[in-house]
Amino acid sequence: MELEGKIALVTGGGRGIGRELCLALARGGAAVAVNYSGSEAAALETARLIEGLGGRAITVRADVSDFAACEAMFAAVEETLGAPDILLNNAGITRDNLLLRMSPQDFSDVLGVNLTGAFHCLKLASRAMIKKRWGRIVNIASVVGLIGNAGQANYAASKAGVIALTKSAARELAGRGVTVNAIAPGFIETDMTTGLSDAVREQMLGGIPQKRLGAPSDIAAAAVFLCSGGAAYITGQVLAVDGGMTMGG
Ligand code: NAP
C-alpha cells in the first residue's frame, strides 16, 4: 500500500486507460477522484469498482478544456477528499483527418482537451503540492507525440506539447518535491483504437516488436511506479510503454 494516505485525481477516469489508472492507484491505497466530462455512468462504475476493492472514490464532472470547470472540480475534490497529491492527466480525444481535410475547429478542439486541459489541471494541482513539498504529476502523452502520424497532425501536436509541458513543469517544480513525468503509450486496446480497420491494425502490428497491442493495465503499472517513492529521483522523463515501437526513435 505504497500510496496509502495519498489523494489522486485522474482526468477521464471513467473508462479506457483512465479507469485502469484509477483502479491501480486505489490498489496502491490512494483515495481517487474520478473525473469525467460526458460518461457519468462509466465514472460511477469506476468509483463502484474502487469501493469494491475497499478503497475510497468520488466522481467529479468537468470538461478539462474549460478552466472555470477545472477550478470548480479542484474545489470539490479539496472539499471532499483534500487537495490532490497525485495528478494523472489522462483525458484525451482524437479528431483524425488528413491535413487538407482537417478543420481549424478539429485542430483547436484536440489541442484544447489534450494540451490546454493538461495545463489547466497541472496549474491548479501544483499550488497545494508545492505547499506540501510532495507531489506526483503524470501526463499521458503518446508515441505519436514523439514520431508524428499521418492523419493525426492535431493529436500529435497536442501530445508533443504535453511532452514539452511535462519537461518545463518538471524543471519549475523539481526543487519543491514535485515530480512531473509523461508516459507515451503505443497502441492500447480501448475505445480509441477499437474503430480501426483490420488493415490498419495489421500495419500497426508490423511496427511493434512485441507483436501485440498494449492493455490499459500496462500503462497503469508504469503510472503507479512513477507515483511511488522509488521514482522520487525521476522527473521530466518520457516513458514509452509501447511494446518496443519507438526504441531508438
Ligand atoms: P478513451 O477510451 O477514448 O477515453 C478517453 C477519456 O478521456 C474518457 O474517460 C473521456 O471521458 C475523457 N475525456 C475526453 N474529453 C474530455 C474532456 N473534455 N474533459 C474530461 N475528460 C475528457 O481513450 P483512452 O485510449 O483511454 O485514452 C486515454 C489517454 O491515453 C488519452 O490521453 C489518449 O490520448 C492516450 N493514449 C491512448 C492511446 C491508445 O492507443 N488508446 C495511445 C496513446 C495515448 P468522457 O467520456 O467522460 O468524456
Side-chain angles (χ1 to χ4, degrees), residues 12 15 17 37-39 63-64 90-92 140-141 155 159 186 188 190 193:
R15 57 195 180 88
I17 292 170
S37 68
S39 305
D63 172 350
V64 294
N90 163 78
I140 306 299
Y155 183 78
K159 296 301 189 178
I188 311 298
T190 68
T193 43

Side-chain angles (χ1 to χ4, degrees), residues 228-249:
S228 71
Y233 201 52
I234 300 174
T235 196
Q237 300 303 307
V238 183
L239 178 58
V241 181
D242 64 357
M245 212 181 139
T246 56
M247 63 173 91

Side-chain angles (χ1 to χ4, degrees), residues 6-95:
K6 302 294 185 202
I7 298 153
L9 169 62
V10 180
T11 67
R15 57 195 180 88
I17 292 170
R19 172 176 289 176
E20 214 48 49
L21 294 173
C22 291
L23 294 175
L25 290 169
R27 280 189 207 103
V32 184
V34 182
N35 158 260
Y36 66 97
S37 68
S39 305
E40 184 177 20
L44 287 169
E45 175 62 8
T46 301
R48 202 189 58 77
L49 290 169
I50 290 172
E51 281 156 11
L53 295 169
R56 185 155 180 230
I58 62 162
T59 60
V60 55
R61 204 194 96 75
D63 172 350
V64 294
S65 68
D66 176 345
F67 186 62
C70 291
E71 284 184 303
M73 168 169 72
F74 272 81
V77 174
E78 282 183 32
E79 209 176 286
T80 45
L81 296 179
D85 306 288
I86 295 169
L87 168 68
L88 265 54
N89 271 317
N90 163 78
I93 59 168
T94 52
R95 297 280 184 274

Side-chain angles (χ1 to χ4, degrees), residues 4-240:
E4 192 76 61
K6 302 294 185 202
I7 298 153
L9 169 62
V10 180
T11 67
R15 57 195 180 88
I17 292 170
R19 172 176 289 176
E20 214 48 49
L21 294 173
C22 291
L23 294 175
L25 290 169
R27 280 189 207 103
V32 184
V34 182
N35 158 260
Y36 66 97
S37 68
S39 305
E40 184 177 20
L44 287 169
E45 175 62 8
T46 301
R48 202 189 58 77
L49 290 169
I50 290 172
E51 281 156 11
L53 295 169
R56 185 155 180 230
I58 62 162
T59 60
V60 55
R61 204 194 96 75
D63 172 350
V64 294
S65 68
D66 176 345
F67 186 62
C70 291
E71 284 184 303
M73 168 169 72
F74 272 81
V77 174
E78 282 183 32
E79 209 176 286
T80 45
L81 296 179
D85 306 288
I86 295 169
L87 168 68
L88 265 54
N89 271 317
N90 163 78
I93 59 168
T94 52
R95 297 280 184 274
D96 298 353
N97 224 329
L98 296 173
L99 275 172
L100 290 180
R101 294 197 197 121
M102 185 177 288
S103 70
Q105 192 64 50
D106 283 347
F107 192 87
S108 63
D109 284 353
V110 169
L111 269 286
V113 174
N114 298 7
L115 177 57
T116 312
F119 161 71
H120 288 159
C121 294
L122 199 155
K123 174 180 166 67
L124 290 164
S126 57
R127 187 185 298 273
M129 290 179 181
I130 289 168
K131 242 193 210 159
K132 293 192 215 178
R133 299 195 70 81
W134 198 95
R136 294 281 186 273
I137 298 173
V138 179
N139 297 319
I140 306 299
S142 168
V143 290
V144 309
L146 296 166
I147 60 176
N149 198 19
Q152 288 197 308
N154 49 2
Y155 183 78
S158 75
K159 296 301 189 178
V162 164
I163 289 169
L165 174 69
T166 301
K167 292 180 181 177
S168 303
R171 286 184 188 277
E172 272 191 45
L173 301 174
R176 314 296 193 109
V178 180
T179 68
V180 189
N181 290 289
I183 292 174
F187 288 100
I188 311 298
E189 292 279 8
T190 68
D191 292 349
M192 204 173 257
T193 43
T194 43
L196 298 172
S197 67
D198 287 349
V200 172
R201 217 164 245 270
E202 274 308 305
Q203 195 193 344
M204 270 165 29
L205 285 175
I208 304 173
Q210 286 193 350
K211 299 289 173 222
R212 69 169 177 93
L213 267 65
S217 57
D218 292 319
I219 308 305
V224 167
F225 166 65
L226 289 172
C227 293
S228 71
Y233 201 52
I234 300 174
T235 196
Q237 300 303 307
V238 183
L239 178 58

